[in-house]
């Protein structure tokens, strides 16, 4: 998409340059495909800028995102762009040294680490993949997430993916895209395909 | 998204295995963000499968997609996954040895090369970025595109991005996602940001 002119010039006392470096909170939601895929596409831009990238996968299967994970890990290791840290709930978070009893507990432990990293400004781009679900299910408090994100220091961009994004999160986000399914091969009885679905 | 069960088992005489390797035509359309970004995210999966990837950028600016381009070129050069060929209309297509007079002519030359590559099965994944516009504007004949795609040989996956996807293209596609803008920072007077918009 071309970089357009903004439709409104805000009266916020900021210069265009300052506004350009505002931290962005993006949400990719809806029942269609491309929510996570677009988030990982964004990570390519962040990598190209040399930014440290932190991915937190709030899902349980280790098979999902294997392609994106390997590609981003290889990119991160080239030293030609940003670094990539990839954290998977499905394998137990690396910072948790004890057994985790439930997905609910695992989701909370993930969010606690995100909070620590935001406070420490560990990354410049955070991909919180499927993070809407722990909020939607009440495992993680949405108001707390919104508050922590609103007050995060520095210029840390955050992309949250998943269906059923809570209203308060949508309200706090700068950019919200809804991916709508118009047509899907599973409707015609086709199963997920290697290289396409994972 | 988890790999779900298809809602219908088709009576097409194919096994699940055969259905899994059907060539996919995907369209990312709508006014929201993430259409191209999700297509480049898909390219990460294709790269991980070791597939040759061909990107055709049907746009005129050389600045767009710089992050994705560099990341995918670096990945393609690692030898650890698929190859990446990146073709840009904005710089004149590399296979055209004479001056091109107009965007319309350039778009047609791009499509001619895509046709040659499909016939030769050059790539396993084609990203035809912003290719809906030449069709929408009548520069490239949509019926011809649909016919060429329908009869393409082998297992060549094609992703077409851009607003205003023609109905005939949507009709022919296996997977269509509409990206809908719910909220966009430009509405609040913010301009495109480095690492986020390009």
């Amino acid at each position: 998409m071309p970089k357009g002119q903004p439709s409104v010039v805000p009266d916020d006392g900021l210069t265009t340059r300052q506004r350009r470096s505002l931290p962005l909170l993006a949400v990719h939601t809806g029942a269609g495909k491309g929510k996570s895929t677009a988030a990982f596409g964004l990570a390519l831009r962040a990598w190209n800028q040399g930014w440290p990238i932190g991915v937190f996968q709030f899902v349980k299967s280790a098979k999902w995102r294997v392609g994106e994970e390997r590609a981003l890990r290889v990119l991160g290791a080239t030293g030609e762009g940003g670094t990539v840290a990839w954290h998977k709930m499905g394998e137990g978070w690396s910072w948790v040294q004890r057994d985790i009893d439930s997905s609910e507990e695992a989701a909370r432990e993930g969010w606690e680490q995100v909070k620590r990293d935001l406070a420490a400004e560990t990354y410049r781009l955070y991909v919180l993949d499927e993070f809407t679900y722990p909020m939607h299910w009440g495992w993680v408090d949405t108001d707390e997430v919104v508050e922590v994100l609103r007050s995060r220091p520095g210029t840390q961009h955050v992309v949250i993916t998943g269906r059923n994004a809570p209203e308060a999160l949508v309200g706090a986000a700068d950019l919200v895209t809804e991916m709508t399914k118009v047509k899907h091969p599973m409707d015609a009885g086709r199963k997920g395909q290697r290289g396409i679905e994972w």
Side-chain angles (χ1 to χ4, degrees), chain A:
Chain A
M1 198 165 68
K3 285 178 294 150
Q5 289 298 313
S7 47
V8 184
V9 175
D11 182 24
D12 55 10
L14 298 177
T15 63
T16 296
R17 192 189 183 90
Q18 287 169 323
R19 238 174 269 120
R20 267 193 196 280
S21 62
L22 288 175
L24 189 91
L25 171 59
V27 174
H28 297 175
T29 191
K33 297 185 72 71
K35 296 184 288 294
S36 300
T37 322
F40 294 118
L42 267 183
L44 299 181
R45 297 185 191 157
W47 174 84
N48 185 50
Q49 296 294 333
W51 296 351
I53 299 161
V55 177
F56 293 79
Q57 267 191 294
F58 285 85
V59 289
K60 289 284 283 183
S61 165
K63 193 165 189 188
W64 302 333
R65 327 277 183 239
V66 285
E68 293 92 326
E69 179 183 353
R70 186 160 158 261
L72 282 165
R73 281 187 189 276
V74 165
L75 278 174
T78 61
E80 295 184 40
T83 55
V84 176
W86 196 288
H87 308 290
K88 282 194 272 198
M89 192 172 100
E91 300 184 352
W93 304 108
S94 61
W95 57 88
V96 179
Q97 298 300 318
R98 52 182 179 74
D99 284 348
I100 291 182
D101 287 333
S102 65
S103 296
E104 180 169 349
E105 195 185 342
R108 281 210 193 107
E109 291 289 352
W111 168 238
E112 290 302 318
Q113 183 63 36
V114 171
K115 279 200 284 183
R116 287 189 288 269
D117 283 326
L118 285 168
E121 300 188 46
T122 309
Y123 308 109
R124 184 85 184 260
L125 174 70
Y126 295 72
V127 177
L128 308 186
D129 191 31
E130 312 272 24
F131 187 50
T132 56
Y133 299 104
M135 283 185 269
H136 181 63
W137 295 328
W139 295 352
V140 168
D141 183 56
T142 304
D143 291 340
E144 192 203 348
V145 171
V146 166
E147 180 48 39
V148 166
L149 290 175
R150 277 217 168 103
S151 59
R152 70 194 186 279
T155 308
Q156 302 182 87
H157 305 294
V158 179
V159 184
I160 296 176
T161 76
R163 300 185 186 202
N164 303 121
E167 261 183 55
L169 180 73
V170 167
D174 305 296
L175 171 65
V176 180
T177 303
E178 176 153 338
M179 275 67 170
T180 309
K181 179 179 87 164
V182 177
K183 194 194 261 192
H184 192 286
M186 283 190 198
D187 298 340
R190 285 170 66 169
K191 289 196 173 187
Q193 282 181 267
R194 181 191 305 274
I196 298 294
E197 302 281 333
W198 69 87

